[in-house]
Amino acid sequence: MNNVPLILLVEDDEPIRRFIRTSLKNSGYRVIESNSGEGALALAASHVPDLMILDLGLPDIDGVKVIEGLRDWSSMHIIIVSARGKEKSKVEALDTGADDYITKPFSMDELSARVRAGLRRMSQLGSAGGSKCKIFNVGELSFDLDRRRVLKKGAEIHLTPREYRLLILMAQNSGKVLTHRFLLREIWGPGSENETQYLRVFMANLRRKIESDPAQPMYIFTEIGVGYRFVDEL
Ligand code: CA
């Protein structure tokens, strides 16, 4: 057994790929790489990596197709790399099953932080701990799923049933970017995917209830034009 995380790097731009590979290896990760979508699918099947960094603009098949092909059988953490101005494909990739994104140009520090968060999430999913537990804490918040209660510094926060479901869904996917579309479908049901104003109102209410300063949130972050992310670690 090798406990060093294995990262699949998919990028057709050779200098960028070399730069990312070198940094990841310097951080102690094992790296395999591909410059195409088909190559990525083959490597994912043969090596079963822990995490994938996927450039969406590939020469053969679209990055979204790669995610579709993987999500049938793999729950590996997928970080997509997208160019500025490609908001639509970014959201589509997240809706298809990507977990996180980073926009070019990015710093290696930024990418490393996302990789660490993704690997942490994978190890939590694989263990008995983390947010799969019936009772878990994030910062000053305590979640008690059996009693359907959320406490802040020991005091119960009064949530409507829908606010509760929304908060639990976010907290159970901490560190992952959840799109407007995904949240609306999960909480309001199919057909409400475009009602982003519902979501804005509920998020504002939730923040007032859980955040000490709703204008400077420490739990629920806005991903502009994409969705929301619950803090991955405090
Ligand atoms: Ca590219």
Side-chain angles (χ1 to χ4, degrees):
M1 270 298 281
N2 195 331
N3 290 324
V4 179
L6 178 64
I7 297 176
L8 171 55
L9 170 60
V10 187
E11 167 65 81
D12 60 320
D13 186 315
E14 163 68 34
I16 297 181
R17 198 172 70 239
R18 195 168 44 218
F19 167 69
I20 298 176
R21 176 216 303 142
T22 306
S23 308
L24 290 173
K25 286 196 165 167
N26 288 343
S27 301
Y29 300 120
R30 291 180 296 147
V31 182
I32 47 175
E33 56 194 89
S34 172
N35 57 9
S36 71
E38 295 288 4
L41 285 169
L43 278 180
S46 59
H47 289 70
V48 195
D50 301 290
L51 181 145
M52 173 165 70
I53 298 168
L54 174 67
D55 177 33
L56 284 184
L58 293 170
D60 55 347
I61 54 172
D62 192 78
V64 172
K65 288 271 177 288
V66 176
I67 300 168
E68 258 170 26
L70 281 175
R71 276 300 179 242
D72 286 344
W73 61 272
S74 169
S75 60
M76 84 171 85
H77 192 85
I78 301 176
I79 303 172
I80 50 168
V81 178
S82 79
R84 279 204 197 288
K86 301 264 181 181
E87 263 55 41
K88 223 180 132 215
S89 55
K90 185 161 77 187
V91 172
E92 193 187 353
L94 289 163
D95 273 331
T96 307
D99 299 284
D100 200 355
Y101 70 91
I102 192 158
T103 307
K104 284 180 183 174
F106 54 84
S107 71
M108 201 52 219
D109 282 350
E110 217 179 324
L111 182 60
S112 298
R114 298 303 174 81
V115 167
R116 279 196 303 277
L119 291 170
R120 206 155 48 225
R121 198 180 144 255
M122 289 308 290
S123 69
Q124 280 173 356
L125 289 179
S127 70
S131 52
K132 288 250 154 171
C133 284
K134 293 281 191 186
I135 297 178
F136 58 97
N137 297 307
V138 181
E140 293 176 339
L141 301 179
S142 313
F143 298 85
D144 181 343
L145 302 189
D146 277 338
R147 296 202 171 87
R148 295 180 68 86
R149 293 203 312 172
V150 180
L151 310 175
K152 184 176 181 184
K153 291 195 236 176
E156 184 168 3
I157 301 173
H158 295 284
L159 300 168
T160 67
R162 197 163 259 166
E163 285 171 350
Y164 174 82
R165 281 196 289 136
L166 182 58
L167 181 57
I168 295 297
L169 180 63
M170 304 262 330
Q172 286 183 322
N173 287 284
S174 63
K176 189 174 143 91
V177 176
L178 302 178
T179 63
H180 296 136
R181 207 182 155 72
F182 171 80
L183 290 168
L184 284 159
R185 195 179 50 226
E186 292 295 314
I187 305 297
W188 280 268
S192 45
E193 285 88 347
N194 295 317
E195 310 288 346
T196 43
Q197 75 278 12
Y198 290 172
L199 203 49
R200 252 197 304 275
V201 170
F202 270 78
M203 283 298 179
N205 288 336
L206 259 185
R207 279 182 172 145
R208 261 197 297 276
K209 292 180 181 187
I210 68 168
E211 302 280 2
S212 299
D213 179 2
Q216 300 282 327
M218 56 185 289
Y219 296 106
I220 299 175
F221 302 112
T222 300
E223 299 286 336
I224 295 165
V226 177
Y228 297 91
R229 177 206 303 269
F230 196 84
V231 65
D232 69 295
E233 201 180 47
L234 274 173

